[in-house]
Amino acid sequence: MSFIDSPGPRNCNQKTLNEESGLIQCAHLILPWLTPSELAHTSLTCKTLSHFSKNVAGSRSLDASRSFENLPVPFHNTLDKTPYVHFLYTPSQILSSSPSQSPQRQFWGSTFYTKPRPGSLSKLGPSSVGDPADCSAGLSRLGLRCEKLSGDCLDLGIELGENDCGCECEKCLEVGDDNGVFGCPCFSGVEDMGIVSECGPSCECGLECENRLSQRGIGFRLKIVRVLKKGWGLFADQFVPRGQFVCEYAGELLTTKEARRQQKIYDERALCYGISSALLVVREHLPSGKACLRMNIDATRVGNVARFINHSCDGGNLSTILVRSSGSFLPRLCFFSSKDIKEGEELTFSYGEIRVRSEGLPCFCGSSCCFGILPSEHT
C-alpha cells in the first residue's frame, strides 16, 4: 500500500493560506482607521480580526499623539477597562471648515505592538495651519475678519499668510547691538498681559533657534491617566522645572457663531452625560482696555494632549501664555509650568473665575479653595 499526496487538500490549504494572508494585509491597512465602535464590531467577525483589533487598541493606548510629538504620550487606566480616548490629533491649530486640514479619520494604532518612534511622522509647524496661497479663499469661506461683534470683543481674524516682519539672523544668539548685547529682535520677554513674541515664518532662523521654544513640540514626558470622578487627566511623567514650556492648546479654530452653536450641543451632552467640552475661548484685552480680541479653540473632536488638562480652583501649576510669532497674525495659546512640577503630579490650570450656572458641572479639583462647580460663562 503506497501513500500518495492528494492534490485536493493541498490546493485547499493553499487557498486558505492565501485568504488568511490577504486578511492580515487588509487588517494591517484598514483597522487603524476605524473608530472604537467600528473596531469592536470588527473584532466579533472572527478570531483573526479579534486578535488584530486588540493589537490596534493596545497600540493606541501607547501613544495618544500618533508620533506627531517628540515623545509618546501613553494612556494609563487602572480604574476600568477603557484603554484610550478616541479623537483626531493635531499638534497645532487648524481651520474647522477646511476638509484637508480637518480630516474625518486618522490612522492610529498598528496591528503589531510597536513603540512609536519620535518624529516618525512629519509634524505640522506653526506656519502649516494653512497654505498662504489659499489664505484669502480660506478667510472668505470662514467669514473671518477683524470686525466688531455684539458686546465688547472683536472676532479674531485668522491671518494665515506671512508678512515682512521678522529677523534676518540665522541664529538669534548671534545677533548683537552696538553695546555687545546679544539676543533676538523678535523677543520681547513676557509682557504684563501674558504675551510672548517668538521668531516666525518670516525669520531666517530654524527650529533650533532659542527663540522658538514653543514651536519644537513637547519636551517633557507626559501621560494621560484615568482619575476617579474627574475622568482623564494629563500628568507629568518626569520632573518639570518652573518656567518651562509644556504644550500648546491645539484644536479647531471656530468663528464666534460656530462656537456658540457648538457650545449649545456640548451643554446638552453635559446635562445627559456629565462630560464637559474642550472648547476654550481666549480673550486678549487690547491696551486701550475698551475691547478685546476673541479666539475660539475647540479640541473636542480634533485636538492634542492639552485637551486632557483639568481645572483647578487654585490656579493649578500651569500658566497660560499667548505666543505670537513674527510674520503670523494668529497667536497660539501655550502652557508653561508656573512652579516646579514633580513626577506623577497632575497638570492643571484655571478655566476661569466666572460661574453663570449655579448648578453647573461639579468640580473635583480637591484644592482648599474649591468652589464645588466648574467655571462657566456665556459663550
Side-chain angles (χ1 to χ4, degrees), residues 156-354:
L156 185 61
I158 299 181
E159 182 69 40
L160 301 181
E162 301 178 9
N163 56 35
D164 295 332
C165 298
C167 59
E168 299 179 355
C169 52
E170 294 183 1
K171 291 184 179 180
C172 290
L173 292 179
E174 296 179 354
V175 179
D177 57 19
D178 295 337
N179 297 323
V181 178
F182 289 83
C184 177
C186 298
F187 180 71
S188 59
V190 181
E191 300 177 13
D192 294 337
M193 302 176 66
I195 303 173
V196 169
S197 299
E198 288 188 346
C199 293
S202 298
C203 299
E204 297 293 332
C205 55
L207 282 178
E208 70 281 355
C209 174
E210 294 296 326
N211 195 34
R212 293 181 182 268
L213 178 63
S214 68
Q215 302 174 35
R216 295 194 287 266
I218 295 175
F220 294 92
R221 292 195 305 273
L222 307 174
K223 60 183 178 181
I224 303 167
V225 181
R226 187 77 164 175
V227 184
L228 186 64
K229 295 184 179 181
K230 291 200 292 186
W232 296 97
L234 189 64
F235 284 69
D237 205 20
Q238 70 176 94
F239 173 73
V240 181
R242 180 178 181 272
Q244 297 298 308
F245 169 74
V246 177
C247 63
E248 173 186 347
Y249 196 91
E252 296 180 287
L253 293 170
L254 308 180
T255 62
T256 299
K257 182 178 180 180
E258 289 174 330
R260 288 171 176 164
R261 182 174 62 248
Q262 284 298 117
Q263 190 59 55
K264 289 182 179 179
I265 298 175
Y266 297 149
D267 287 342
E268 293 176 358
R269 293 177 181 176
L271 290 174
C272 296
Y273 307 106
I275 302 175
S276 60
S277 69
L279 174 58
L280 190 64
V281 178
V282 182
R283 294 180 175 89
E284 180 185 355
H285 293 274
L286 299 180
S288 63
K290 297 181 180 180
C292 67
L293 293 178
R294 170 181 172 137
M295 182 168 61
N296 311 286
I297 310 174
D298 190 2
T300 307
R301 190 183 73 91
V302 184
N304 66 342
V305 297
R307 71 193 298 275
F308 296 102
I309 303 177
N310 286 317
H311 163 79
S312 182
C313 293
D314 64 1
N317 49 24
L318 296 178
S319 297
T320 55
I321 302 293
L322 278 179
V323 178
R324 293 189 177 279
S325 300
S326 299
S328 295
F329 178 71
L330 181 67
R332 295 179 297 116
L333 182 66
C334 297
F335 293 103
F336 287 78
S337 54
S338 58
K339 59 186 70 173
D340 289 345
I341 302 175
K342 300 177 182 178
E343 180 179 353
E345 184 178 347
E346 183 177 7
L347 303 177
T348 57
F349 76 105
S350 174
Y351 289 3
E353 303 296 333
I354 303 175

Side-chain angles (χ1 to χ4, degrees), residues 2-287:
S2 60
F3 295 89
I4 303 176
D5 292 335
S6 172
R10 184 177 66 238
N11 292 338
C12 182
N13 291 338
Q14 185 65 40
K15 181 179 179 181
T16 302
L17 289 174
N18 290 337
E19 290 177 347
E20 185 174 353
S21 176
L23 183 62
I24 293 174
Q25 288 182 340
C26 289
H28 182 66
L29 293 174
I30 297 175
L31 295 189
W33 292 93
L34 302 184
T35 64
S37 59
E38 293 170 342
L39 199 61
H41 284 92
T42 303
S43 66
L44 301 176
T45 307
C46 64
K47 290 183 178 180
T48 302
L49 290 180
S50 176
H51 171 73
F52 286 129
S53 297
K54 291 180 180 178
N55 283 358
V56 170
S59 180
R60 287 178 176 179
S61 66
L62 294 178
D63 185 15
S65 75
R66 295 104 160 122
S67 296
F68 276 104
E69 302 292 355
N70 299 320
L71 299 168
V73 185
F75 289 92
H76 290 272
N77 185 2
T78 59
L79 300 180
D80 53 46
K81 295 183 179 180
T82 306
Y84 63 92
V85 177
H86 187 268
F87 65 102
L88 301 180
Y89 200 93
T90 176
S92 58
Q93 299 166 347
I94 61 173
L95 300 180
S96 62
S97 299
S98 175
S100 61
Q101 293 292 328
S102 182
Q104 299 302 312
R105 291 183 181 272
Q106 190 176 54
F107 188 93
W108 186 20
S110 172
T111 54
F112 305 99
Y113 282 108
T114 54
K115 185 177 181 180
R117 294 180 294 105
S120 60
L121 295 178
S122 298
K123 296 197 299 180
L124 299 177
S127 61
S128 64
V129 180
D131 188 348
D134 299 330
C135 176
S136 299
L139 290 175
S140 176
R141 182 172 60 254
L142 284 171
L144 288 176
R145 57 188 181 274
C146 278
E147 60 181 1
K148 187 78 175 182
L149 296 180
S150 58
D152 60 351
C153 276
L154 303 174
D155 197 5
L156 185 61
I158 299 181
E159 182 69 40
L160 301 181
E162 301 178 9
N163 56 35
D164 295 332
C165 298
C167 59
E168 299 179 355
C169 52
E170 294 183 1
K171 291 184 179 180
C172 290
L173 292 179
E174 296 179 354
V175 179
D177 57 19
D178 295 337
N179 297 323
V181 178
F182 289 83
C184 177
C186 298
F187 180 71
S188 59
V190 181
E191 300 177 13
D192 294 337
M193 302 176 66
I195 303 173
V196 169
S197 299
E198 288 188 346
C199 293
S202 298
C203 299
E204 297 293 332
C205 55
L207 282 178
E208 70 281 355
C209 174
E210 294 296 326
N211 195 34
R212 293 181 182 268
L213 178 63
S214 68
Q215 302 174 35
R216 295 194 287 266
I218 295 175
F220 294 92
R221 292 195 305 273
L222 307 174
K223 60 183 178 181
I224 303 167
V225 181
R226 187 77 164 175
V227 184
L228 186 64
K229 295 184 179 181
K230 291 200 292 186
W232 296 97
L234 189 64
F235 284 69
D237 205 20
Q238 70 176 94
F239 173 73
V240 181
R242 180 178 181 272
Q244 297 298 308
F245 169 74
V246 177
C247 63
E248 173 186 347
Y249 196 91
E252 296 180 287
L253 293 170
L254 308 180
T255 62
T256 299
K257 182 178 180 180
E258 289 174 330
R260 288 171 176 164
R261 182 174 62 248
Q262 284 298 117
Q263 190 59 55
K264 289 182 179 179
I265 298 175
Y266 297 149
D267 287 342
E268 293 176 358
R269 293 177 181 176
L271 290 174
C272 296
Y273 307 106
I275 302 175
S276 60
S277 69
L279 174 58
L280 190 64
V281 178
V282 182
R283 294 180 175 89
E284 180 185 355
H285 293 274
L286 299 180

